[in-house]
Structure formats: C-alpha cells, structure tokens
Amino acid sequence: MMNIIVVGLSHKTAPVEIRERVAFSPTDMGRPLHEMRALPAVVEAIIVSTCNRVELYAGSHDAEACVGQLKAFLAAYHGITPELLEEHLYDYQGEEAIRHVFRVASSLDSMVIGEPQILGQIKTAYGYATEHKTVGSVLNRFLHKAFSVAKRVRTETDIASNAVSVSFAAVELARKIFGSLDGKKVMLIGAGEMCELAARHFLNNGAASVMVTNRTLERAVKLAEEFQGQAVPFEEFPQHLHQVDIVLTSTGAPNFILGQEKMEEVIRQRKNKPMFLIDIAVPRDIDPKVNKIDNIYLYDVDDLQGVVQANLKERQKEAKKAEVIIDQEIGQFSRWLENRDVVPTIVALRKKFEDIRQGELSKTFSNLKDLGPKERQAIEALTAAIVNKMLHPPTSVLKRNQETASGSDYVDAVRTLFDLEIAPEEDDSEIS
Amino acid sequence: MSVNILLFKITLLFYSVATVLYLVDVVRRKEKAGKTGKAARWILIGGFALHCATLLARYLEAGYTPVANLHESLSFFAWTLVGIFLLFDIRYRMTVLGAFSCPLAVILMLVGSTASNTVKELNPALDSWWFPVHVTLAFLGNAVFTVAFVAGVMYLLQERMLKSKKFSALYYRLPSLDVLDSINYKCLSFGFPLMTMGIISGAVWANSAWGGYWRWDPKETWALITWFLYAALLHGRLTVGWRGRRAAIFAILGFLCLLFTFLGVNLLLSDLHSFKAMEGP
C-alpha cells in the first residue's frame, strides 16, 4: 500500500553548519525534485527547505527502501558523506510521518512555537512540486489536509496570539493600556536598534506621530525624517513630554535622565492621561520609582523579557490543545489512506457485485417457486461466472498498476464509478 | 406553585447556564468570544425574556409593581442588571464582562429564591403611579452602577498586573485599561442622572403618600451619601481629570454604599422604606 515517508533534519537535530550545507536553492527546485522522484522506491516527491529545516516528503510502496534511498539522495545531491549526515537525520513513516508534517505545518515543531512563516514555506514547497508534477493524488491530498489542520490549530487555539519578541511585546502592552493605538504619540529618546524597531511597530499599529530627540541633533533630524516625525533638541525634550503617550528611551547616559518628580509634574499636566514608558537603556534612563506614579507604566528591558517568557509559556499551553486536534486529524487521514489501497478496493468491488447478484437471485427464486434444486444450482453458477468474468479485467488492471504512480488514479476511478464509498468530507479541499 | 414562581425558577436556571458558559468561555479563550460565549449570550437573552414574563405574571397576580418585598426587589434588581449588561454588550461584546456580571445576577436571584415569595397586599397609601416610576429609576441606576463596580474590579486587577509585571492567565482575558475606564465613565454618565431622578421621584411620591418631601429616614440618608459619592466622582472626572485607579476605587466604594442603601437599610434599620412598611394592614 501507499505509505508516506519523511526524511529530514531541523534546528532540533542539526547545527546551522549542517543545515546550510543541505539546503536547496529556491531558484532551482526542478532538478532535485525530478531526481528525488526518479528514485526507484519514490512515487511522489516534495522538498521543503527553509533556514531551520530540510525535509523530503515521499509517497512510496516500499517504506524501508525509500528511507534509505532518500538519505543517500540527500547526501549525494549535496556532496556530503552519508555518515556525516546520518546522526542528524530523522525519518518517519505511516502515522508518525503524518503527525510530523501536521505538527510542522501547525508550527508546533518551530524554534518559536506558533510562528506563522512555516506554513507559507510548506505551501511554497508544495507549489514547486505541483509545478514540476512530482506529486500525485496521495501527497496532494496529504498536503491539503496539513494546511487545513494548520488552519484549524490557528483558529481554535491561541498558539500565535501573544508576542514573542521584545518590540512586539511592547506594542501588546501598549494595547492593554491604551486599547487602540490610533492617534497615540510616541517619543524616541536616544537611538538604538531595538528602540527604532519598536517605534516602527507602534507606527504600523496606528500610532500617529513620532518625536525624536538625541544628544546630537543631526542624528535626531535624520531619524525624524525616517519616521516623518519631528526632531527636538535634547535639552528641550522634557518640555514636550506631556504631549506624548509612549516614550522609548535608550541613551548612553550614565544616570537617570527622567526622575519621579519630573514625571509627576508631567502626569499632572496631562490630567492623568496614562503614559507608557519603555526604557531599553542599560544602565537605565528612567528612575524605576516612576512606575509607582498612578497612570504611568514603566517597563525596562528585563520586564519586557519577562513578558516574552510569559507569552512563550502561554504558547506552550496552547500547543497541548493543538496536539489533541492533530491526533483527531491523523486518525481521519490514515483511514482515508488505508481505504484507497488496492486490496480493500478490490474486496469492496467484489462485495458490491456479490450483493447485487444475491439480491437479484433471491428475487428471481421467489418468483419462480417451481424450480428444482438442479436448475437453481445452474442459475447460481451462471450468475457467479458472469460476475467473475466481468470483474476480471478491472481487478487485474488495479493489481498491475498497484506499484505505479497512476495506480492511485485507478483506485480513485473505480471507487467513484462503482460508488464504493461516500466521498470523504471536502472541508480540506481549498488551499488558502 | 404559581406561574410567576415557576417562571422565576426557569429564569434562574437560564441565568445559571449562561453564567457557566461565560466562565467556560473565558477560561478557554482569550478576549475574542468563542462559540460558547455566543451561546452564553443567547441563553442570557432567553433568560431575560423569561424574566420579563416572570415580572409580568407577578404584576398580574399581585396587582402592583412587584418590588414590595425582598424576593421581588432582588428579582427586579437582577432583571435590571441583566438588561443593562445586555445593553453594554451591544457596544463592547466582551465575554469577560459577562463572566463577571452574570454571577452577580445569579447570586441576587438565588438569595431572592430563599426569601418569602408570598404575595401580600400593598399598603394603600403607597399605591400610586409614582411607585413604579421611583423603583424603576432607582433600580436602573443601581444596575448601571453595578456594571461600573464590575468594571472597577476588573480595572484594579488589570492595573495591578501591569504595574507589578506579574501576569496571570486573567491578564490575557481582561480588556485594556482604556476600555475599562471608559465603561466607568459611561456608567457614571448614565447612572448618575438615573439615580438623581430616582431620588427626586421618590421625594415627590413621599410628598403625596406621607405629606413631606424628605424625612431623613435611614434609606434617604444613605441614598444621599451614595449620591454625593458619585457626584464627587463625576465632578473629579470632569474637572480635575480623575480617572483610572481612583475612578475604579470610587466606583467600588459607591457600589458598597449602594448595596447598603438597598439591602442593609431595609434589613438592618427599620424605617419607612422597610419591606414591612410596604405591606398593607
């Protein structure tokens, strides 16, 4: 029967020095896909290659041989000795392979659980494979199923709903304070990569304007231009504090540049409208006592890291819910996979014909009550022979094509033509 | 069992189910309402409709607006609370507000179901059109301030977490400080006029029933204290820029005063407003 095989390595099993050596170039996916597809045990082929993982997905009738061939292929294609690669490689087949791909697509196997890129990367990989026609009906359906599982995980759990970077964590905290960020004003004191990144996030999320100040005015002017904001001389920034809702500081000052008294005055000027202060500088720019003032929320780098840690823990909790969803979906998909095998199809086909024969026989016999046992036997034999003769060609075609790529198409055709199963639900038929 | 008592019990059942669903939804999801949250809302709306029927049945049976004893008052309070919450829900769509408010309605109803629910004659002196006007205004004001109390508690919890930087699971589920503060303000700007009109209508009614606008009975005194508390908060908000934590604390204190005015006075201090005085001879 057709089996799903996964061979690969990821950030969990291989260091970057290895990962970069086996990565496939996105500009030239045709050659490796065709070479992989040409391996004797491989019927269908997909190659997923990202900076964190390289994985080969195959449909095969001979799992053991397939695993060996895929490992050899990966090493040979990149000119690495197989022994070197072996310790980093994992391989899965059957339900374990299905689980692995569902988990990867749902971002449960990612370095940062719940990060959204991986699904897009798998969709791209699937796109290359369909473009080069190396996928058949099994991997086709399998990948679509994986996409729908990932979608379900994303909508039914909160796996991706909390920020896991410091600058995004700042934006989320601001949302918990201000509700919407629309129209909020940001002040950037000093320059620093993280500060600028956070300011950009604030702008992208609705903040109205950025005011920039720096000890060197030119630097401030340059940054202000970048943000289409306003530059303020460093000596004057305290006078503007009451106009802004969010303050980001990262100066190299050895002492606090903002103290409790100054901020108490500012909050009075603002009529207690809340302020969010983010101090990314080390040593810190803002006296921690400022956090005690009502309606001012002061966060330093460690506080933000703490938020990120808490969010990661939340994601891990959500990941447990996701595993339950995946368990359900695996059962469904492997039932489909088993059903589409040749042997059960032939059995089902025979049963269907036998049922029809028996039904018609009993009808005829009940109408013709005066038939003797001999005549009955003759009619039985006749009908059985007709059914056998009629079923012989389709059965042998199915058997003959069992090991070929088109085999699954014949199975599909027979199942459809003779109505051998209720069509599986099509909730997963669309790719979004 | 008379119709209104049966309806009362079914209403209580609906409210309880809605409460459980709201709590389940809040435990399971964050912020955005899931299927359970939506189910909770519909069951609560169903319960509210039943509650309307309960009050109507009671009105028809008793022949007066059913707010004359503890059972009736608690039921009426719960009714206004659920009604006001549903109004707020149209604007804010917050499961977590439901998860905090609905248990209060259930508690009111549960206490109400233990109180004697026999229909007694209303004191003829009190039988006037001012009766329904006064109690409806007063209870609507109470209900709006209850929502302010709920928002105040949520504000203090959320503010505590943001200040201390220790986040429990509740942090992810509670709305932003700004939303909670705006609920506080909205409640104040609707609740204060309602309460004021409730007091004025009471005075007018007192004049027609007892021949005097104001008698300084404990209920009146406590209502005035409560009124001043909310007046101070409204004034602070509008002129000095009180908001946030201080406004939340005031809303909570105001609610405690309110609760005492409503229950404490009636049960502990006997006076013209006690339920005994409402019964006929």
Side-chain angles (χ1 to χ4, degrees):
Chain A
M1 77 173 255
M2 187 73 125
N3 206 331
I4 288 170
I5 316 293
V6 173
V7 167
L9 49 77
S10 73
H11 58 96
K12 287 188 177 159
T13 63
V16 66
E17 301 85 64
I18 298 289
R19 296 201 309 267
E20 65 193 4
R21 288 181 69 184
V22 297
F24 291 88
S25 152
T27 52
D28 176 32
M29 287 306 287
R31 193 164 66 91
L33 275 169
H34 286 298
E35 279 182 28
M36 178 180 159
R37 169 73 182 70
L39 296 172
V42 173
V43 184
E44 302 180 29
I46 291 178
I47 298 176
V48 176
S49 179
T50 76
C51 51
N52 279 334
R53 68 180 67 242
V54 173
E55 294 186 338
L56 310 175
Y57 302 162
S60 168
H61 293 289
D62 184 351
E64 294 311 319
C66 184
V67 169
Q69 289 169 13
L70 288 177
K71 285 181 174 174
F73 162 72
L74 196 59
Y77 188 89
H78 295 287
I80 306 170
T81 47
E83 294 74 33
L84 178 70
L85 211 51
E86 181 61 36
E87 60 171 318
H88 302 294
L89 285 175
Y90 45 78
D91 58 276
Y92 302 105
Q93 42 179 293
E95 286 207 356
E96 283 315 301
I98 298 171
R99 179 189 307 278
H100 178 77
V101 176
F102 284 2
R103 290 186 78 246
V104 170
S106 308
S107 194
L108 296 183
D109 199 48
S110 300
M111 201 185 274
V112 177
I113 293 175
E115 56 89 9
Q117 283 93 349
I118 183 66
L119 183 58
Q121 288 161 337
I122 295 181
K123 281 182 179 170
T124 310
Y126 171 69
Y128 290 134
T130 48
E131 192 185 313
H132 294 284
K133 300 199 170 56
T134 59
V135 283
S137 57
V138 169
L139 282 195
N140 233 323
R141 193 174 177 97
F142 177 50
L143 267 286
H144 281 214
K145 190 75 199 173
F147 300 153
S148 83
V149 171
K151 200 170 157 192
R152 220 189 125 191
V153 164
R154 201 150 280 264
T155 48
E156 290 182 25
T157 73
D158 286 313
I159 193 152
S161 56
N162 299 111
V164 284
S165 75
V166 166
S167 46
F168 262 121
V171 171
E172 269 177 15
L173 281 165
R175 281 223 185 86
K176 280 287 183 194
I177 295 168
F178 299 114
S180 152
L181 295 182
D182 288 346
K184 295 287 174 282
K185 295 191 175 123
V186 181
M187 183 187 276
L188 197 55
I189 304 174
E193 207 179 321
M194 212 196 278
C195 248
E196 287 165 34
L197 189 64
R200 198 150 285 139
H201 283 325
F202 279 121
L203 279 178
N204 290 342
N205 284 283
S209 63
V210 177
M211 201 180 272
V212 186
T213 185
N214 201 297
R215 282 201 201 275
T216 48
L217 190 60
E218 299 88 77
R219 185 77 211 272
V221 171
K222 201 170 147 266
L223 256 182
E225 263 168 33
E226 226 172 280
F227 289 119
Q228 293 173 333
Q230 181 194 351
V232 182
F234 193 76
E235 300 72 40
E236 289 171 21
F237 88 83
Q239 300 157 27
H240 297 278
L241 271 173
H242 70 278
Q243 299 165 17
V244 299
D245 307 283
I246 298 159
V247 179
L248 289 155
T249 68
S250 65
T251 72
N255 301 314
F256 298 138
I257 58 168
L258 283 175
Q260 197 176 2
E261 260 172 55
K262 174 65 196 162
M263 289 317 294
E264 270 170 357
E265 183 196 320
V266 169
I267 205 78
R268 226 171 304 139
Q269 273 176 298
R270 286 173 60 80
K271 283 200 161 184
N272 291 322
K273 273 197 335 210
M275 280 182 97
F276 182 29
L277 314 182
I278 303 149
D279 182 357
I280 306 181
V282 179
R284 287 173 295 181
D285 282 335
I286 305 174
D287 188 343
K289 284 196 207 104
V290 167
N291 192 45
K292 291 195 183 121
I293 303 171
D294 240 8
N295 297 309
I296 292 187
Y297 302 88
L298 168 63
Y299 279 71
D300 63 29
V301 159
D302 282 3
D303 297 333
L304 291 174
Q305 290 290 5
V307 173
V308 167
Q309 288 309 318
N311 287 349
L312 278 174
K313 243 184 234 162
E314 275 296 298
R315 282 193 179 197
Q316 267 147 17
K317 266 193 235 159
E318 293 300 314
K320 290 208 181 94
K321 290 188 205 165
E323 301 280 2
V324 175
I325 294 176
I326 286 175
D327 276 338
Q328 297 166 353
E329 299 280 356
I330 290 174
Q332 221 191 358
F333 183 77
S334 38
R335 267 197 304 283
W336 175 82
L337 197 60
E338 275 164 30
N339 270 336
R340 52 163 301 107
D341 203 26
V342 167
V343 176
T345 304
I346 293 173
V347 171
L349 186 64
R350 289 208 154 273
K351 184 169 182 307
K352 178 102 180 179
F353 275 65
E354 185 60 22
D355 286 349
I356 294 171
R357 189 176 79 91
Q358 291 298 343
E360 294 303 316
L361 274 179
S362 64
K363 241 191 270 175
T364 306
F365 287 158
S366 65
N367 285 342
L368 304 172
K369 294 233 166 47
D370 43 356
L371 285 182
K374 234 189 186 163
E375 286 90 346
R376 283 178 177 245
Q377 229 167 17
I379 293 174
E380 283 255 9
L382 166 75
T383 49
I386 291 174
V387 165
N388 276 337
K389 288 247 159 80
M390 286 180 75
L391 282 182
H392 179 67
T395 311
S396 54
V397 168
L398 280 175
K399 279 185 181 157
R400 215 176 321 125
N401 288 288
Q402 194 165 3
E403 306 290 316
T404 67
S406 51
S408 47
D409 295 338
Y410 284 108
V411 169
D412 281 341
V414 167
R415 285 193 172 267
T416 314
L417 286 174
F418 294 102
D419 191 21
L420 294 184
E421 65 186 344
I422 326 143
E425 73 273 55
E426 290 296 323
D427 62 318
D428 50 349
S429 53
E430 36 120 24
I431 337 172
S432 44
Chain B
M1 189 163 32
S2 56
V3 180
N4 75 76
I5 301 302
L6 181 67
L7 281 168
F8 177 90
K9 287 191 171 151
I10 301 173
T11 305
L12 176 55
L13 183 71
F14 268 63
Y15 285 174
S16 310
V17 173
T19 303
V20 170
L21 289 179
Y22 269 126
L23 291 172
V24 167
D25 195 59
V26 163
V27 170
R28 286 210 344 224
R29 307 277 311 182
K30 292 165 201 162
E31 290 179 52
K32 50 197 171 186
K35 277 184 196 140
T36 359
K38 282 179 193 142
R41 176 182 303 131
W42 282 111
I43 290 173
L44 192 69
I45 291 171
F48 184 69
L50 278 167
H51 208 163
C52 295
T54 310
L55 295 178
L56 187 68
R58 183 91 185 175
Y59 173 77
L60 293 174
E61 200 171 321
Y64 58 83
T65 317
V67 205
N69 61 35
L70 185 62
H71 167 78
E72 291 169 352
S73 303
L74 287 166
S75 169
F76 198 80
F77 192 2
W79 179 70
T80 49
L81 177 59
V82 172
I84 293 291
F85 163 73
L86 287 173
L87 280 180
F88 269 87
D89 198 48
I90 293 171
R91 165 80 175 74
Y92 290 101
R93 290 279 143 147
M94 251 188 312
T95 312
V96 68
L97 194 63
F100 275 76
S101 310
C102 286
L104 289 178
V106 171
I107 291 169
L108 289 173
M109 295 286 278
L110 275 175
V111 177
S113 68
T114 61
S116 157
N117 56 32
T118 47
V119 174
K120 298 218 175 90
E121 283 289 305
L122 185 67
N123 188 338
L126 298 178
D127 200 0
S128 140
W129 274 109
W130 286 110
F131 179 40
V133 172
H134 170 64
V135 293
T136 305
L137 286 170
F139 275 103
L140 278 177
N142 286 0
V144 173
F145 284 136
T146 308
V147 174
F149 160 76
V150 167
V153 170
M154 296 198 314
Y155 186 99
L156 290 187
L157 288 171
Q158 186 72 310
E159 198 251 9
R160 192 71 244 131
M161 287 189 274
L162 278 164
K163 278 275 188 199
S164 68
K165 292 141 193 175
K166 290 194 189 79
F167 304 103
S168 73
L170 205 57
Y171 166 77
Y172 299 98
R173 288 150 179 89
L174 286 174
S176 69
L177 293 179
D178 184 69
V179 164
L180 292 170
D181 193 53
S182 80
I183 293 178
N184 177 293
Y185 182 61
K186 281 232 165 62
C187 288
L188 202 60
S189 46
F190 285 108
F192 191 71
L194 283 168
M195 189 185 190
T196 311
M197 289 190 293
I199 292 176
I200 293 171
S201 63
V204 175
W205 179 31
N207 188 41
S208 69
W210 305 317
Y213 288 103
W214 198 266
R215 296 181 163 224
W216 293 109
D217 83 338
K219 185 87 160 192
E220 291 167 359
T221 313
W222 275 96
L224 200 65
I225 292 171
T226 314
W227 186 86
F228 270 116
L229 209 66
Y230 283 116
L233 174 56
L234 190 60
H235 177 79
R237 279 206 83 112
L238 291 176
T239 60
V240 204
W242 284 6
R243 53 159 71 225
R245 204 163 73 91
R246 193 185 309 224
I249 291 172
F250 257 86
I252 292 168
L253 286 178
F255 177 75
L256 294 179
C257 270
L258 200 90
L259 214 56
F260 186 75
T261 311
F262 167 50
L263 285 179
V265 170
N266 282 41
L267 299 176
L268 304 176
L269 316 164
S270 78
D271 68 328
L272 293 168
H273 275 84
S274 74
F275 296 126
K276 200 119 201 95
M278 296 215 180
E279 285 170 22

